[in-house]
Amino acid sequence: MATPISISLLNVFLLLFSLEKGYAVEENEATKSYLHVVKVNSLLPTTACNHSSSKVSNSLSLEVVHRHGPCIGIVNQEKGAEAPSNMEILLRDQYRVDSIHARLSSRGMFPEKQATLPVQSGASIGAGDYVVTVGLGTPKQEFTLIFDTGSDITWTQCEPCVNSCYKQKEPRLDPSKSTSYKNISCSSALCKLVASGRRQSCSSSTCRYKVQYGDGSYSIGFFAAETLTLSSSNVFENFLFGCGQQNDGLFGQAAGLLGLGRSKLALPSQTAKEYKKLFAYCLPASSSSKGYLSLGGEVSKSVKFTPLSADFDSTPFYGLDITGLSVGGRKLSIDESAFSAGTVIDSGTVITRLPSTAYSELSSAFQNLMTAYPSTSGYSIFDTCYDFSKYDTVRIPKVGVTFKGGVEMDIDVSGILYPVNGLKRVCLAFAGNDDISVFGNVQQRTYQVVYDGAKGRVGFAPGGCS
């Protein structure tokens, strides 16, 4: 007798064979269990913002929007704020992945490899795609900041900007007009939090910080304390941050960055007394919709947790362990050792990277179930692409990721395919990598992703943005 898995796979082949021959196909629950039926136009971004948003009850929620989408408003309408091309997005994404590898290599986790990171005017920040609005200073001034789970320090551009600043949405923070601003002294123990190696950087007696991102963009300035306002009832005095005086790169006119990493300097640690190092977000299915970033509150029973990997405890990153993949309802024959280097879950990486052996199995299985549609040439980091320009509806196999502890995550349909040239070239939204896996933000879409630093775990719940 055939196993349930083989029956499921046979059904998929029969269904796709019928589609290829133009036979009518009856939709049923079994079909829906391993296939997505997708209107092809839904794969493309829209120019109008869907203003409906969601939030988590019993917690502080900040609205999340994509920094190149229509929901961010005037930012992308001003001259010089054009969204980058898909080729630029994917190139910068690779720089970020290379940067993650370099930071882990510096801690002896992986062999060094050559990586050329450009430092150029107009380079987009390798820190993330999604922004929130927070308040700094007294009186409060609001700023649009990119939030990033792979970064520790929060910073924003400041007056008088003695070296160089890029154009941003809001006026820059002026410390001279804030009654709560304080520079950190170079003699303070706090200055060691931003020391490069064992060396502290100082300007006269004032502590300085420097941070550089995966594509070479950077911020340099004064390390300071200021009042952070997340809501009228969530105000944090003496919040440590960077007051940027030299900043290079086109940051999509965001004012800076909100660090959600694992160090003592990151927001979760600085607000641990109030939020217990607990935060969550939901990234919307497209750049034309809104999500949220929540801090503290209750954890829903629908959230399934996987433990943080101890291998990454000394790094800024949240490390997980992938144990398996599935395509079309069938678990792929990949030994768990293929994922032994670990996985970084990262809000700033766009496309998920998998070890080459695992990606090869995933791509092959996906291609075997997509023979009804014409393939086309690859694009940048993608090698599995299709031409949907002559279709109104397509059926694509579901893709699943299993994490340690048996936590299964069915990737939302918006995280399986990535259109790079309209409908003429739509690609499988995964890529291969030399060693570690990086779980990117496209594959996290529509899920509530919960980071519980106090208990050393990360959780997932589907339908998080609804």
Side-chain angles (χ1 to χ4, degrees), residues 269-328:
S269 293
Q270 289 201 58
T271 59
K273 185 176 180 180
E274 179 71 21
Y275 303 130
K276 299 178 176 58
K277 293 188 178 181
L278 180 69
F279 69 93
Y281 56 73
C282 185
L283 307 179
S286 76
S287 61
S288 58
S289 297
K290 298 179 180 181
Y292 63 80
L293 169 66
S294 67
L295 295 143
E298 300 290 331
V299 176
S300 169
K301 293 182 179 179
S302 63
V303 178
K304 305 301 181 185
F305 283 98
T306 184
L308 288 172
S309 171
D311 292 342
F312 294 84
D313 283 351
S314 63
T315 78
F317 304 111
Y318 295 91
L320 306 178
D321 291 301
I322 293 177
T323 60
L325 303 172
S326 65
V327 175

Side-chain angles (χ1 to χ4, degrees), residues 95-111:
Y95 290 148
R96 181 173 177 91
V97 171
D98 288 345
S99 176
I100 291 173
H101 188 285
R103 291 169 75 181
L104 294 175
S105 296
S106 68
R107 289 170 165 82
M109 293 184 67
F110 305 107

Side-chain angles (χ1 to χ4, degrees), residues 44-303:
L44 302 176
T46 63
T47 57
C49 176
N50 176 4
H51 288 283
S52 63
S53 60
S54 56
K55 62 181 181 179
V56 179
S57 59
N58 301 316
S59 66
L60 169 72
S61 286
L62 305 176
E63 189 174 79
V64 166
V65 299
H66 195 287
R67 67 190 179 101
H68 296 305
C71 295
I72 202 168
I74 64 170
V75 175
N76 286 330
Q77 297 172 13
E78 297 179 6
K79 185 177 180 181
E82 294 84 3
S85 68
N86 281 315
M87 184 61 75
E88 290 171 325
I89 290 171
L90 296 172
L91 179 62
R92 293 163 186 169
D93 200 44
Q94 187 58 49
Y95 290 148
R96 181 173 177 91
V97 171
D98 288 345
S99 176
I100 291 173
H101 188 285
R103 291 169 75 181
L104 294 175
S105 296
S106 68
R107 289 170 165 82
M109 293 184 67
F110 305 107
E112 294 282 356
K113 69 176 182 179
Q114 185 67 33
T116 303
L117 305 179
V119 179
Q120 56 184 352
S121 176
S124 175
I125 184 173
D129 294 317
Y130 295 92
V131 297
V132 294
T133 300
V134 303
L136 285 169
T138 306
K140 180 189 74 171
Q141 184 179 340
E142 291 191 337
F143 297 97
T144 301
L145 302 180
I146 300 166
F147 76 85
D148 183 18
T149 60
S151 295
D152 291 324
I153 191 170
T154 294
W155 64 267
T156 188
Q157 297 193 113
C158 288
E159 297 291 359
C161 198
V162 294
N163 288 303
S164 63
C165 283
Y166 58 88
K167 189 176 181 180
Q168 67 180 53
K169 179 180 179 181
E170 305 94 352
R172 293 189 289 266
L173 176 66
D174 189 342
S176 67
K177 295 181 179 179
S178 173
T179 60
S180 51
Y181 178 91
K182 297 185 289 287
N183 280 325
I184 301 299
S185 169
C186 212
S187 61
S188 170
L190 294 173
C191 192
K192 295 179 181 179
L193 293 174
V194 290
S196 177
R198 295 183 179 180
R199 297 178 59 187
Q200 294 177 199
S201 176
C202 300
S203 177
S204 298
S205 61
T206 301
C207 187
R208 287 164 54 90
Y209 78 94
K210 177 180 180 180
V211 58
Q212 182 168 341
Y213 300 99
D215 61 2
S217 299
Y218 62 86
S219 176
I220 303 171
F222 300 118
F223 188 42
E226 182 58 285
T227 295
L228 171 70
T229 301
L230 301 177
S231 74
S232 59
S233 58
N234 290 264
V235 180
F236 299 89
E237 297 179 350
N238 297 313
F239 180 79
L240 300 172
F241 81 115
C243 191
Q245 296 293 318
Q246 182 177 348
N247 316 283
D248 191 23
L250 179 62
F251 289 68
Q253 296 196 27
L257 183 138
L258 186 69
L260 295 176
R262 300 181 68 182
S263 83
K264 294 179 180 179
L265 189 55
L267 177 70
S269 293
Q270 289 201 58
T271 59
K273 185 176 180 180
E274 179 71 21
Y275 303 130
K276 299 178 176 58
K277 293 188 178 181
L278 180 69
F279 69 93
Y281 56 73
C282 185
L283 307 179
S286 76
S287 61
S288 58
S289 297
K290 298 179 180 181
Y292 63 80
L293 169 66
S294 67
L295 295 143
E298 300 290 331
V299 176
S300 169
K301 293 182 179 179
S302 63
V303 178

Side-chain angles (χ1 to χ4, degrees), residues 379-397:
Y379 183 94
S380 184
I381 61 173
F382 298 135
D383 61 14
T384 303
C385 304
Y386 299 89
D387 182 354
F388 292 157
S389 61
K390 296 182 180 179
Y391 297 85
D392 294 323
T393 302
V394 294
R395 292 166 173 79
I396 62 172

Side-chain angles (χ1 to χ4, degrees), residues 442-461:
V442 166
Q443 282 67 43
Q444 298 175 47
R445 287 174 177 173
T446 76
Y447 270 78
Q448 182 187 22
V449 184
V450 181
Y451 294 73
D452 188 347
K455 295 184 178 180
R457 58 184 188 169
V458 171
F460 305 95

